Amino acid sequence: MNAAQSVAGRRRLSQAELDMIVTAHEKFVTGKQGGKRASLRFMQLSGLDLSFRNLTDADLSASILEGCRMVRTKLDRASLFGCDLRKSDMRQASLIRADLRGACLRGANLAQADLTQADFREGQIAIPHPRKGLDTLRHETRQGEVDEVNFSGATLDGSQFEGVSAFKADFSDCSLRGAKLAGANLKEANLVGAILDGADVKGANLEGANLTGAVMAGVDTSTARVSGAHMNGALRTSTPEAVSRAQALYKMCMDNQLWCQTGGKEGACARLDGEDLRPLGAKLKGLRLTAMSAKGACMVGLDLSGAQLQGANLAGADLRAANLRGADLRGAKLTGANLTKADLRQAFLSPLPLGPARQTQANLQGARVRYAMMQAADLSEAVLDGADLRGSDFTGARVAKASFRDVELSSVQGLEF
């Protein structure tokens, strides 16, 4: 698609005109008076700014949005069918169930964007006539193109990438659970630490792709092209032994709860060091697991919401994408743990009182807390020295007297010292 032909037949909007249309759309979306749904089809909008605006359900089909700023823009269910989004800045944008069929996103920045169930497949693109404009359209089929796009830390669960070209795209620390990647070109893509549980990669090209430390439970690579792909440290489906051991591990957890309930008279502290706890799924939700030890355990995606984990030893545990919402982790040891994309909203990571004038702090030294949800968590006096917090959201979190020596803070939100 040459530039002259792509711009031809499209109306150029100024920033002021665009702002008026978007303001009317925001009223429409929120049900206020004077609202009107935005129809921005076949527009020339390159270089304009839509950051922080709400374009839920808007129609932007076949428009040119090259180099646009759309930081944290809400584009849920929006039609971006056949759009030119090259080099656009869409960091932290919300594109849940957005229609991106046939769109070109080459070189765009979608770091930490929410693209749950977004559709990137090929689409029939309408091309206006250079002189007669929209009166004379011709159609051509175009593949979705996300070559060299930065998706680091993004959520792409259930997204549709069948046949899409994603050459050298950056999917590091992404969540791609159940994504449909059949026949996609992921050659030389960066999938380090990506969570690909249940993703379909039939016939995909993964040549030279980096899948180091990726979570690949339920991923069948037998028909994918994998020559030169790096898969060291990739986490596969739980072994049959781990699945059959799940019942015994669950009993240990229930004994831990009994130990808490009887003040230590019955039951015992659970010792789960190095175990694969993934087969337990949501069974540990809300349990009393005070003082349990799960050093180096595999706890990827576990539901531990509301669990009582005071003083638990989770050093070096893999807690990627785990749900720890509202969990009581006072005084817990999380040194070197991997909490990438974990949900710690409203979790308690303040000190645990041990008696008169004695307490133990929550310790997250050297932990990987990338792209984690930490909103409204209590981190008073927590030790986070040397932790990697990039891309995490601390909005409303309490951090009084917490220690943040030598932490990696790029793209962190809501952290106020």
Side-chain angles (χ1 to χ4, degrees):
M1 177 173 81
N2 67 46
Q5 173 198 325
S6 69
V7 176
R10 285 177 172 79
R11 188 172 146 224
R12 172 78 196 174
L13 287 191
S14 68
Q15 185 70 51
E17 288 173 302
L18 180 61
D19 288 344
M20 272 171 61
I21 293 168
V22 176
T23 300
H25 181 81
E26 287 172 335
K27 285 181 180 166
F28 166 78
V29 170
T30 51
K32 293 196 178 97
Q33 242 180 329
K36 185 177 182 231
R37 186 180 174 195
S39 179
L40 290 160
R41 298 162 64 89
F42 291 104
M43 296 290 182
Q44 165 47 311
L45 306 167
S46 53
L48 298 182
D49 195 342
L50 285 159
S51 295
F52 306 101
R53 304 301 300 260
N54 186 348
L55 281 160
T56 299
D57 293 311
D59 187 357
L60 293 135
S61 319
S63 286
I64 312 270
L65 293 145
E66 192 177 353
C68 271
R69 263 183 68 79
M70 291 184 268
V71 176
R72 289 211 222 172
T73 305
K74 263 184 94 65
L75 288 153
D76 298 344
R77 297 179 304 279
S79 176
L80 293 157
F81 188 93
C83 281
D84 181 349
L85 289 150
R86 283 176 295 183
K87 296 205 161 85
S88 56
D89 183 356
M90 301 175 81
R91 284 168 299 159
Q92 296 170 2
S94 184
L95 292 133
I96 298 166
R97 288 175 47 205
D99 184 354
L100 288 148
R101 284 174 300 161
C104 178
L105 289 137
R106 194 185 312 151
N109 188 350
L110 284 139
Q112 290 176 257
D114 188 346
L115 294 141
T116 304
Q117 291 182 1
D119 192 348
F120 291 88
R121 293 172 300 172
E122 70 172 29
Q124 278 267 329
I125 309 303
I127 295 172
H129 189 276
R131 286 183 310 283
K132 299 176 190 161
L134 300 181
D135 300 333
T136 317
L137 292 174
R138 63 185 181 80
H139 291 83
E140 65 176 52
T141 299
R142 194 191 307 153
Q143 249 192 337
E145 195 193 312
V146 296
D147 295 337
E148 298 182 26
V149 169
N150 177 6
F151 286 112
S152 58
T155 301
L156 291 148
D157 298 341
S159 55
Q160 300 186 65
F161 276 98
E162 291 101 329
V164 170
S165 181
F167 172 69
K168 281 194 172 170
D170 182 356
F171 291 99
S172 56
D173 291 323
C174 257
S175 185
L176 284 148
R177 287 175 166 161
K180 294 168 181 67
L181 299 157
N185 176 19
L186 293 155
K187 192 175 177 177
E188 291 177 45
N190 177 2
L191 289 142
V192 173
I195 298 167
L196 288 150
D197 284 342
D200 178 4
V201 297
K202 278 193 222 43
N205 182 357
L206 288 160
E207 290 172 4
N210 191 350
L211 289 139
T212 306
V215 179
M216 298 177 73
V219 179
D220 176 5
T221 53
S222 61
T223 60
R225 287 152 54 192
V226 293
S227 69
H230 305 279
M231 296 194 188
N232 18 333
L235 197 57
R236 299 289 187 165
T237 310
S238 299
T239 61
E241 296 83 66
V243 174
S244 60
R245 208 168 141 57
Q247 201 48 49
L249 297 177
Y250 181 58
K251 188 182 181 308
M252 284 189 211
C253 293
M254 294 309 288
D255 279 349
N256 201 132
Q257 175 152 285
L258 184 63
W259 179 80
C260 293
Q261 287 164 341
T262 61
K265 290 190 177 70
E266 292 173 56
C269 267
R271 294 276 167 266
L272 308 164
D273 300 345
E275 298 280 3
D276 183 355
L277 300 174
R278 288 177 294 165
L280 293 174
K283 283 185 167 174
L284 305 183
K285 190 176 168 172
L287 280 195
R288 293 180 70 173
L289 297 165
T290 307
M292 71 112 105
S293 182
K295 289 184 294 197
C298 180
M299 303 169 82
V300 175
L302 274 196
D303 187 349
L304 290 155
S305 54
Q308 302 214 11
L309 291 154
Q310 304 94 326
N313 188 348
L314 300 164
D318 190 346
L319 285 149
R320 282 178 286 173
N323 182 356
L324 288 153
R325 192 168 184 170
D328 189 343
L329 289 150
R330 285 177 299 160
K333 195 170 184 182
L334 287 151
T335 44
N338 192 346
L339 289 150
T340 300
K341 284 193 91 68
D343 185 350
L344 286 145
R345 287 175 289 180
Q346 288 119 30
F348 298 91
L349 288 143
S350 46
L352 179 68
L354 294 173
R358 275 185 67 227
Q359 59 175 36
T360 180
Q361 291 150 317
N363 192 341
L364 289 101
Q365 273 178 290
R368 277 170 78 102
V369 195
R370 292 187 187 183
Y371 312 113
M373 292 188 273
M374 308 289 289
Q375 294 97 314
D378 186 352
L379 291 145
S380 313
E381 299 185 47
V383 181
L384 292 124
D385 301 345
D388 183 350
L389 306 177
R390 77 186 70 172
S392 286
D393 189 346
F394 285 85
T395 306
R398 292 164 64 179
V399 294
K401 296 191 188 165
S403 180
F404 286 97
R405 283 192 207 103
D406 305 319
V407 290
E408 167 62 73
L409 287 170
S410 46
S411 312
V412 163
Q413 294 170 60
L415 202 51
E416 282 151 34
F417 296 111

